[in-house]
Amino acid sequence: FLRSLFLKIVEDGQISENDWRHLLTTTEQLGIGKSELLESIQSQAERFVEHVLADAKSDDHLSQTEEETLNWLIANLGLSRQVSEYVQREIDSLRMWTRIQEGTLPSLPAPSAIELRAGELVHFHGTSTWRVTRQLKRGPVTDEHVGSMTLTDNRLIFSSSTKSQTFRYRRIVSHRGGTDGIIIQLTGKPANSFAISPPSRFPYAILRVAVARANQTSVPKADNSRHIARDV
């Protein structure tokens, strides 16, 4: 009976606070506690939340309303810990992706052992494999160097025990990438390929925005932070 009531109020793909309060009042009048209600509808509630999450992810953009709705569902519907943590991770990931697409890049603490310039901002740091192709008489030879890749506000830094190098964004003439990694082309140089581990769509998205900013073809959205830009 309780499951039927819950499915009735979410049949249009959404649930209002008024509907939820009405369901709580009904169960209370029947002498049923809130904990028993949450336990009885848990599987239906989790499927409903996953449906709402899928709708939010469908356009790869998280609106404020969608985020507020999902947070309210997590707080009120008595989801299992596993499902709650999964939905929260997806919200965080989609929020970050949305902000990057809008031109707002994440700021991270400076990685240890990476020498940064005064005021330089770190937007990404992670494990990477740099594949360098050399043209020899017998043909092309590709060397692989496993290390770390750091994306700052004006350069890509690769560091490893075998080979390290810095690539300034303004020297990049073309770039492409995806979940598996990044490929950049510098003037008069062979292409440089960086595999990302674990695979992630965020590094290339961050690089794309950072390069556009360095070339002044994109500007960050205005915000209320007190950060002073490095060039200023």
Side-chain angles (χ1 to χ4, degrees):
F1 173 70
L2 294 175
R3 287 192 285 270
S4 297
L5 285 179
F6 177 77
L7 292 175
K8 180 66 176 177
I9 65 175
V10 300
E11 64 182 356
D12 60 351
Q14 56 187 346
I15 182 173
S16 69
E17 291 189 40
N18 286 335
D19 288 336
W20 181 243
R21 282 195 296 268
H22 176 70
L23 180 58
L24 292 177
T25 301
T26 301
T27 56
E28 184 180 353
Q29 291 172 345
L30 294 172
I32 301 172
K34 182 179 179 180
S35 60
E36 188 176 353
L37 166 66
L38 294 177
E39 182 179 355
S40 64
I41 68 169
Q42 185 178 73
S43 60
Q44 288 76 18
E46 290 178 349
R47 285 198 295 271
F48 171 68
V49 173
E50 290 174 354
H51 170 75
V52 175
L53 176 63
D55 282 348
K57 294 170 63 177
S58 63
D59 61 353
D60 232 8
H61 181 276
L62 182 67
S63 69
Q64 183 176 347
T65 299
E66 288 171 335
E67 183 172 358
E68 290 174 352
T69 298
L70 286 165
N71 285 330
W72 185 90
L73 294 175
I74 292 174
N76 289 278
L77 293 193
L79 310 180
S80 67
R81 179 177 178 181
Q82 181 180 7
V83 172
S84 294
E85 291 177 348
Y86 161 73
V87 174
Q88 190 60 61
R89 287 195 302 270
E90 292 296 299
I91 292 172
D92 294 342
S93 176
L94 189 54
R95 183 198 306 114
M96 181 175 173
W97 180 256
T98 300
R99 289 176 63 82
I100 291 172
Q101 297 305 305
E102 292 174 346
T104 302
L105 298 181
S107 293
L108 308 179
S112 59
I114 299 295
E115 191 66 29
L116 300 177
R117 296 183 174 89
E120 192 169 14
L121 300 178
V122 175
H123 300 309
F124 172 81
H125 178 77
T127 302
S128 176
T129 299
W130 181 18
R131 297 189 177 98
V132 184
T133 301
R134 295 178 293 135
Q135 296 295 335
L136 304 179
K137 290 184 179 180
R138 66 177 183 271
V141 175
T142 300
D143 300 322
E144 292 192 350
H145 306 276
V146 178
S148 67
M149 182 177 69
T150 305
L151 301 177
T152 75
D153 53 339
N154 75 325
R155 57 183 176 150
L156 182 157
I157 304 170
F158 181 82
S159 176
S160 78
S161 59
T162 56
K163 190 177 181 68
S164 299
Q165 192 161 328
T166 293
F167 303 88
R168 292 184 175 276
Y169 296 147
R170 290 191 177 184
R171 294 187 59 206
I172 296 177
V173 295
S174 67
H175 54 77
R176 62 185 186 275
T179 302
D180 294 331
I182 295 170
I183 299 175
I184 60 174
Q185 182 79 51
L186 279 65
T187 303
K189 301 289 184 180
N192 294 274
S193 174
F194 302 90
I196 307 298
S197 179
S200 171
R201 64 176 180 170
F202 290 110
Y204 178 61
I206 290 171
L207 175 82
R208 189 173 62 242
V209 174
V211 170
R213 284 192 191 175
N215 293 326
Q216 298 181 344
T217 58
S218 175
V219 295
K221 293 182 65 176
D223 60 31
N224 295 322
S225 71
R226 300 183 64 187
H227 169 71
I228 299 175
R230 182 179 54 81
D231 54 342
V232 175

